[in-house]
Structures are given as structure tokens and as C-alpha cells.
């Protein structure tokens, strides 16, 4: 798709090319430094060198030779030393941007670059019979944001929740339940109870080998399809899925598939055999299957000596299944940093087996979460926070913010806004910076109405909506269509121009976020837009603008900004309140 800034860049390139003074391959344009009054620059160093000129001389000659066409987005060309600086025409830009936002609405910023390509995203992926803790929240939030971004870029996106629903630990879970009975109730309470039973059983099994044997026996029975084992396992899977769904609903998360590790069980013998046949693995004296790729990566197992399979084995089967089923161009694994080696080994093994040669395999790693005292969250430390509790806490705290920002809202609406703002603040905290960095649960910063936070951006959105509502209620006569076409020409105040340029950058931000697997590029855009908006509110009165035409023009700008912000926040998975 082509947006205003794309056309601007094309026109700049075409203008340079049309002088006949610079060969095509040497035309490179970049963003000028922030203090330069220009929108694109051509640094002439390389070209001048090739042409045997000095750079200021070339820049000067080009500035002389270029005369932008009358309908061009390029307003002016000036040489500044070795740079050739191009400025946007604010009036044409404003007409183009308003038209694009108004025409595309919720699709503004989208693209078709992904058409015909599939991306598989492996995200959330919590473990069955365990509460979903904040370690999975990062995967869930970052994964869903990437999902939304790739969809918006026109890709066919397949989201897969790679549930940890298989492995030795279920033998112990089942043994504990058989011994002490199924916990009553449902939801996260029941999960917490299962977790407790598991811990108790594990503790006792350390003292009493008979308990250990019992758990192993159940594990085997589960693998062999014993009806009791299967039934209890299925009960735990369903319970977990139902409990997690409640969190997903609050986070606006929708994952296409829940294949889970168990789904791959029947494929594992084939995978192990193939690895042996292809000589990327061997069977050791004890009977275990060891992968040795003959490179610097540590060896790892596909099968234990007791014939049990591993997380790794299931991930190989999963990858092969995905290649076969979805024919993706990319597979993204949104999983914490500690599994970095696991994925390096996985990708290397699959490639050594001759698969995924032209498929991009990417581990999107993320850092840890620290509490407000700077301590990493951990069960052992006793400061672990579970997702549902975290969201409830966020809701409660956001309620106070809403109370402060809008004491006059009806109670039910305050509650709804607190949910949008509270959950939004948790999600935004996860998305506003590079995922590899650790994040801190610093509620004061997360819920601040000023600064780089969800509430600030959501509040700025709500202000747009409030102005638009007031304008609609005042029922001022709308300008005739002819005048409407001239409105963009009125938006020439520096704060208006800055805001329009910011709106024009959304499509580029979305593309960059996709290319770098970096939702924070969109988060940055949202924040910068909210700031440009507050500059505009400070300097330009909308409802009391000097003339009806200017008022109408500014209302169009406010409506376009609200739409673009909604699109940006939506890509991050955040909702925006109508009032706040
Ligand atoms: N269930 C795993 C965990 O909680 C994460 C799974 C990630 N995805 C994968 N394909 N290995 O650690």
C-alpha cells in the first residue's frame, strides 16, 4: 500500500533522478536530524565522491536543478552544506493524510505487504494444571501484539498456544488426585489446589520411594491411554483452558489453535527415527537418543534411556507439523530468554535434518518481570504474582485514577473504564520497550496520567472523543462540501502540522514493528501522537476556533487523530475509553 509519506519519498527520489546528475543506485534518502527544518535529506557524500565533486558542490547543483511539480508533496529543496534537504508541503500533506484516515478508518496504517505469506506465532503457551503466572503474561501480550501487527500488514497469521500438557509431571498430578481426591470448585482456585497437591506429593515422594513409583506408573498409564489416567488428565486440561480463557478475555487475546504438546505424541517415534536415520542423532549405550550436530552447541536428548520423550522432541515434531500444515514463511516463538539455548538447538537440528531452509525461524525472547522493589518475581521468593491477581490489582488501582480524572462518571462506567485502563497499563508496560529488557511493576509509573503510560494515551484519546461529542451536540452548521475540500489548507499552525506529520507516520511505524518484531515501535508512535495531540490542544482551540471553517478543519484533525490512535492502541491489544 502507498501512503502520503511513501509518495513523498518517491517524489524526492524521482526529482533527484530527473536532474540526470546522480545515477539511480546512488540516491539514498534519510530522515534529517530533529533540529533540521526538513522532512527528508539526501546526504550527497557517496554520490559526490563517485562523480568526482565535493559534496556541497553537488548539493548546490541539485538544489538549482530541482523544481518540484505544482501538485507535488515536496514544497522546497535547499542545499545545506553536503545535504540536500526536502520539506513537505503542509497543505498537501494535510489534505492527503486526512483523506487517507477518513477513507480507511480502522484500516488506516494497514498494508498488503504480507499478502500470500503465512506467519505462525507460538505464544502464551502456559502449562496445564498450573496457574498462569506473570512469566506467561509477557508471552501472551507480546505474542498477541505481533499477531495483530502481522495481520494488519496483510499476512495470513496462525496463532498457536503450545500448551504444556504433556510430560512426566502429569503422572504425579494424577497420583496425587487419585490419592487425595479431585479438588472441588473450578477456575483458578481449583488450579491452585492441584498445584498444592502436586507440591505436597513431590515433597512426600522424596521421603517415600513408593510414592515415586506410583507417580511413574501413572505417567506410563497416561501414555498408554489408560481410561482413568486419560480422564483425569483431560479434566485438568479443560479446567486450565477454562481458567485461562477468563484472563485471555480480559486481555483481548484470541489464539487460533491449542494443539498443545500432547497432540504431537503419536509423531514422536517417527521424529526420533528420522533423526537417527539422518545421522544427526545416535543411540548411546544406555539407550538414550542424543543429538550431536558436530557444532559448538551442547548435545541434547530426544529420548531418555527409559524411552520417555522430552520437551525438545515434541518441539521438533511441532515444527515439522507446522511446516507441513501451514507452509509458513516465518515461525515466531515468543518465549522467555531462559529458553534461548533450547531454540538454538531446535532450529539447528531441524535445519540439519534438511527442513525449513527458506523459512525464517525466530525466537522472540523477553526478559523477566521485577516487582516494585526490584526483585525478580519467583515462587520461591514468595513474591510471585498470578495473572488474574495482577489484573485485579491493576483494575483496583486504575479505579483510583479514574476517580481522579473523572469524578462525575456514573459508577458502572467508572468500573468499565478502570478495567480498560488497568488492564491497558499492564499490557502497555509489557510493550513500550524492547522485549529483551526486563520490566518492573512500578504502578506509579504504569498508571501515571503523564508520561509514557497507557492511561496518558487513553486519556488523550478520550479527550478527542469528548470534543467530537460536544461539537456534535452543539449542532453548528457544517461547511458546504466545496469548503470542506479547502479545510486542510487551514491547518498550518506548527502544532497542527506536527500532529498531521505524526499521523502520516503510522503506516511506517507498523511496517517497522513487523520487520523488527517490535511492538514498541507502535507503542512509541502512540506516545508521540499523544504528545503531539497535547501540543495541539495547548496551542489551538478547537471548539472556539476563530472561524467556523477553522473549527471544522480542526474537528477533522481531531477525528482523524482519534481514529489513528485507536488503530495504534488496537494493534497493541489496548482498548480506549470514550470518556475518562
Ligand atoms: N510451556 C512452555 C513453558 O511454560 C513454553 C512453550 C513455548 N513454546 C514452545 N514451542 N516451546 O515454559
Amino acid at each position: 500500500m502507498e501512503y502520503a509519506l511513501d509518495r513523498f519519498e518517491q517524489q524526492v527520489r524521482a526529482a533527484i533522478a530527473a536532474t540526470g546528475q546522480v545515477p539511480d543506485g546512488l540516491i539514498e534518502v534519510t530522515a534529517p536530524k530533529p533540529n533540521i527544518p526538513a522532512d527528508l535529506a539526501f546526504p550527497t557524500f557517496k554520490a559526490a565522491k563517485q562523480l568526482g565533486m565535493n559534496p556541497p558542490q553537488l548539493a548546490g547543483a541539485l538544489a538549482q536543478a530541482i523544481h518540484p511539480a505544482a501538485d507535488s508533496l515536496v514544497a522546497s529543496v535547499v542545499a545545506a552544506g553536503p545535504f540536500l534537504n526536502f520539506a513537505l508541503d503542509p497543505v498537501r500533506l494535510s489534505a492527503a493524510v486526512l483523506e487517507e484516515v477518513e477513507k480507511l478508518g480502522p484500516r488506516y496504517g494497514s498494508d498488503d505487504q504480507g499478502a500470500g505469506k503465512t506467519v505462525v506465532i507460538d505464544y502464551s503457551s502456559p502449562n496445564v494444571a498450573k496457574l498462569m503466572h506473570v512469566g506467561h503474561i509477557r508471552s501472551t501480550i507480546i505474542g498477541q501484539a505481533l499477531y495483530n501487527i502481522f495481520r494488519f500488514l496483510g499476512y495470513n497469521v496462525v496463532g498457536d498456544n503450545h500448551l504444556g500438557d504433556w510430560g512426566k509431571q502429569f503422572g504425579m498430578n494424577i497420583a496425587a488426585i487419585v490419592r487425595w481426591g479431585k479438588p472441588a470448585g473450578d477456575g483458578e482456585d481449583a488450579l491452585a489446589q492441584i498445584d498444592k497437591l502436586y507440591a505436597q506429593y513431590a515433597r512426600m515422594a522424596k521421603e517415600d520411594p513408593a510414592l515415586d513409583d506410583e507417580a511413574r506408573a501413572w505417567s506410563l498409564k497416561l501414555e498408554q491411554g489408560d481410561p482413568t489416567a486419560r480422564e483425569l488428565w483431560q479434566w485438568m486440561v479443560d479446567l486450565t483452558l477454562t481458567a485461562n480463557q477468563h484472563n485471555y478475555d480480559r486481555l483481548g487475546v484470541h489464539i487460533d489453535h491449542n494443539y498443545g504438546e500432547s497432540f504431537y505424541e503419536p509423531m514422536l517415534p517417527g521424529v526420533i527415527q528420522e533423526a537417527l536415520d539422518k545421522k544427526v542423532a545416535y543411540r548411546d549405550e544406555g539407550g538414550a537418543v542424543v543429538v550431536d550436530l558436530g557444532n559448538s552447541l551442547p548435545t541434547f536428548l530426544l529420548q531418555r534411556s527409559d524411552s520417555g520423550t522430552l520437551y525438545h522432541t515434541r518441539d521438533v515434531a511441532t515444527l515439522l507439523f507446522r511446516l507441513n500444515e501451514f507452509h509458513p514463511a516465518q515461525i515466531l516463538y515468543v518465549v522467555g530468554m531462559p529458553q534461548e539455548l533450547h531454540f538454538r538447538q531446535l532450529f539447528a537440528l531441524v535445519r540439519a535434518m534438511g527442513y525449513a531452509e527458506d523459512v525464517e525461524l525466530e525466537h522472540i525472547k523477553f526478559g523477566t518481570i521485577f516487582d516494585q522493589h526490584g526483585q525478580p518475581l519467583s515462587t520461591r521468593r514468595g513474591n510471585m504474582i498470578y495473572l488474574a491477581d495482577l489484573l485485579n490489582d491493576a483494575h483496583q488501582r486504575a479505579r483510583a485514577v479514574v476517580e481522579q480524572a473523572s469524578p462525575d462518571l456514573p459508577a458502572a462506567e467508572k468500573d468499565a473504564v478502570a478495567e480498560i485502563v488497568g488492564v491497558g497499563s499492564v499490557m502497555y508496560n509489557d510493550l513500550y520497550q524492547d522485549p529483551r529488557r526486563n520490566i518492573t511493576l512500578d504502578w506509579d509509573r504504569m498508571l501515571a496520567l503523564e508520561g509514557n503510560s497507557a492511561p496518558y494515551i487513553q486519556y488523550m484519546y478520550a479527550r478527542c472523543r469528548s470534543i467530537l461529542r460536544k461539537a456534535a451536540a452543539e449542532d453548528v452548521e457544517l461547511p458546504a462540501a466545496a469548503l470542506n475540500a479547502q479545510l486542510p489548507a487551514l491547518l498550518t499552525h506548527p502544532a497542527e502540522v506536527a500532529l498531521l506529520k505524526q499521523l502520516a507516520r503510522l503506516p511506517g511505524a507498523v511496517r517497522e514493528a513487523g520487520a523488527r518484531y517490535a511492538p514498541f515501535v507502535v507503542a512509541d508512535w502512540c506516545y508521540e501522537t499523544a504528545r503531539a495531540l497535547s501540543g495541539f490542544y495547548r496551542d489551538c482551540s478547537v471548539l472556539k476556533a476563530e472561524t467556523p471553517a477553522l473549527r471544522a478543519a480542526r474537528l477533522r484533525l481531531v477525528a482523524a487523530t482519534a481514529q489513528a490512535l485507536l488503530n495504534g492502541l488496537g494493534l497493541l491489544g489496548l482498548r480506549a475509553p470514550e470518556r475518562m
Side-chain angles (χ1 to χ4, degrees):
M1 290 245 293
E2 200 190 87
Y3 287 94
L5 291 185
D6 301 321
R7 286 197 298 284
F8 175 58
E9 182 173 332
Q10 284 160 18
Q11 290 168 2
V12 164
R13 287 174 179 280
I16 301 170
T19 63
Q21 298 185 29
V22 187
D24 270 1
L26 293 172
I27 302 175
E28 271 171 35
V29 292
T30 59
K33 297 224 174 68
N35 55 337
I36 305 290
D39 300 290
L40 266 184
F42 172 38
T44 59
F45 306 99
K46 232 203 242 157
K49 193 166 172 201
Q50 290 250 343
L51 299 169
M53 294 167 83
N54 76 44
Q57 198 185 355
L58 177 59
L62 290 171
Q64 289 281 314
I66 294 176
H67 304 285
D71 61 350
S72 155
L73 282 161
V74 180
S76 65
V77 192
V78 291
F83 292 95
L84 190 61
N85 288 336
F86 295 82
L88 271 163
D89 181 311
V91 172
R92 284 206 196 93
L93 175 76
S94 126
V97 171
L98 290 180
E99 192 192 306
E100 282 168 3
V101 181
E102 285 162 6
K103 194 175 89 197
L104 294 171
R107 304 283 310 151
Y108 175 69
S110 68
D111 213 292
D112 49 16
Q113 59 162 246
K117 284 182 247 171
T118 297
V119 185
V120 174
I121 309 185
D122 178 318
Y123 67 109
S124 192
S125 311
N127 298 323
V128 160
K130 294 243 180 290
L131 283 167
M132 207 170 154
H133 60 65
V134 281
H136 295 116
I137 190 182
R138 296 212 69 186
S139 173
T140 306
I141 291 172
I142 298 167
Q144 187 67 46
L146 288 170
Y147 185 98
N148 301 339
I149 289 166
F150 276 94
R151 271 277 282 263
F152 213 50
L153 288 170
Y155 290 81
N156 171 39
V157 192
V158 179
D160 188 15
N161 195 353
H162 192 67
L163 292 174
D165 63 355
W166 206 247
K168 267 203 321 199
Q169 69 277 22
F170 290 100
M172 202 170 278
N173 271 321
I174 294 170
I177 293 173
V178 168
R179 186 166 278 255
W180 294 313
K182 269 189 196 174
D186 54 12
E188 293 210 323
D189 290 342
L191 283 182
Q193 300 227 29
I194 296 178
D195 215 8
K196 263 205 201 110
L197 293 185
Y198 178 89
Q200 191 180 333
Y201 197 98
R203 231 178 2 255
M204 287 168 63
K206 270 198 195 129
E207 316 274 294
D208 182 354
L211 283 177
D212 214 27
D213 291 344
E214 210 172 298
R216 218 191 319 267
W218 277 115
S219 178
L220 200 64
K221 280 197 217 170
L222 177 63
E223 271 191 36
Q224 292 164 344
D226 170 88
T228 309
R230 279 282 165 165
E231 195 192 304
L232 284 173
W233 172 81
Q234 190 63 52
W235 174 74
M236 289 187 279
V237 172
D238 295 343
L239 185 74
T240 312
L241 287 177
T242 312
N244 290 347
Q245 192 56 47
H246 187 62
N247 291 323
Y248 290 154
D249 290 344
R250 291 181 79 179
L251 294 167
V253 164
H254 169 82
I255 314 182
D256 300 314
H257 300 288
N258 278 312
Y259 285 113
E261 294 185 38
S262 63
F263 175 78
Y264 303 97
E265 183 66 16
M267 307 169 205
L268 304 184
V271 165
I272 295 168
Q273 193 55 51
E274 189 177 339
L276 288 168
D277 292 346
K278 290 186 168 160
K279 307 241 179 308
V280 290
Y282 64 90
R283 204 176 278 282
D284 73 6
E285 322 79 76
V289 175
V290 184
V291 176
D292 186 352
L293 299 171
N295 55 17
S296 58
L297 287 175
T299 60
F300 58 99
L301 296 184
L302 285 184
Q303 190 167 32
R304 287 192 304 262
S305 50
D306 69 1
S307 89
T309 55
L310 300 96
Y311 179 54
H312 244 313
T313 329
R314 292 186 282 279
D315 251 329
V316 178
T318 306
L319 211 163
L320 301 188
F321 172 80
R322 286 172 179 162
L323 293 177
N324 208 23
E325 183 82 2
F326 305 116
H327 307 286
Q330 301 172 51
I331 307 180
L332 315 182
Y333 293 82
V334 188
V335 186
M337 205 92 83
Q339 295 193 30
E340 169 160 28
L341 178 61
H342 170 81
F343 285 106
R344 281 190 14 229
Q345 291 170 322
L346 173 67
F347 299 164
L349 170 59
V350 167
R351 295 227 153 97
M353 288 168 80
Y355 292 106
E357 265 150 14
D358 45 12
V359 178
E360 207 175 304
L361 304 174
E362 197 76 35
H363 175 201
I364 317 284
K365 339 175 207 318
F366 51 81
T368 318
I369 306 189
F370 289 88
D371 68 13
Q372 56 265 65
H373 311 294
Q375 295 297 317
L377 298 177
S378 87
T379 317
R380 201 165 34 78
R381 264 201 189 76
N383 65 346
M384 183 49 88
I385 302 172
Y386 293 102
L387 181 47
D389 294 338
L390 178 74
L391 297 180
N392 290 342
D393 193 13
H395 179 110
Q396 285 308 323
R397 291 169 189 268
R399 185 65 205 250
V401 175
V402 175
E403 207 64 63
Q404 178 202 335
S406 24
D408 303 330
L409 287 185
E413 193 174 342
K414 275 183 190 159
D415 222 52
V417 176
E419 178 73 4
I420 294 177
V421 172
V423 172
S425 72
V426 170
M427 297 177 79
Y428 193 80
N429 190 42
D430 227 306
L431 295 171
Y432 81 106
Q433 59 178 14
D434 190 312
R436 279 166 295 192
R437 297 189 42 192
N438 299 324
I439 57 171
T440 309
L441 286 176
D442 175 352
W443 290 109
D444 289 341
R445 181 180 49 72
M446 287 161 68
L447 285 169
L449 276 170
E450 293 290 329
N452 196 356
S453 69
Y456 171 62
I457 301 167
Q458 290 169 321
Y459 178 66
M460 292 312 291
Y461 171 81
R463 278 187 70 184
C464 293
R465 299 296 305 157
S466 141
I467 289 178
L468 295 168
R469 266 194 312 274
K470 278 191 198 134
E474 282 173 12
D475 199 21
V476 177
E477 209 180 311
L478 285 169
L483 183 54
N484 208 32
Q486 285 153 30
L487 293 183
L490 303 176
L491 299 172
T492 52
H493 187 285
E496 293 166 336
V497 176
L499 182 54
L500 282 158
K501 283 185 185 172
Q502 186 53 30
L503 299 189
R505 287 184 195 117
L506 178 60
V510 180
R511 287 179 202 146
E512 187 187 337
R516 295 173 62 190
Y517 310 119
F520 69 84
V521 178
V522 173
D524 265 353
W525 177 87
C526 289
Y527 177 52
E528 290 305 332
T529 305
R531 282 177 32 144
L533 187 58
S534 77
F536 164 71
Y537 284 148
R538 187 193 54 226
D539 297 345
C540 307
S541 155
V542 180
L543 295 174
K544 296 198 169 55
E546 293 93 75
T547 66
L550 185 59
R551 180 180 190 272
R554 287 182 175 162
L555 282 170
R556 279 181 68 186
L557 177 56
V558 171
T561 306
Q563 179 68 64
L565 259 185
L566 194 64
N567 297 1
L569 287 172
L571 289 175
L572 302 176
L574 269 73
R575 290 182 289 156
E578 287 296 298
R579 302 197 278 184
M580 186 174 159

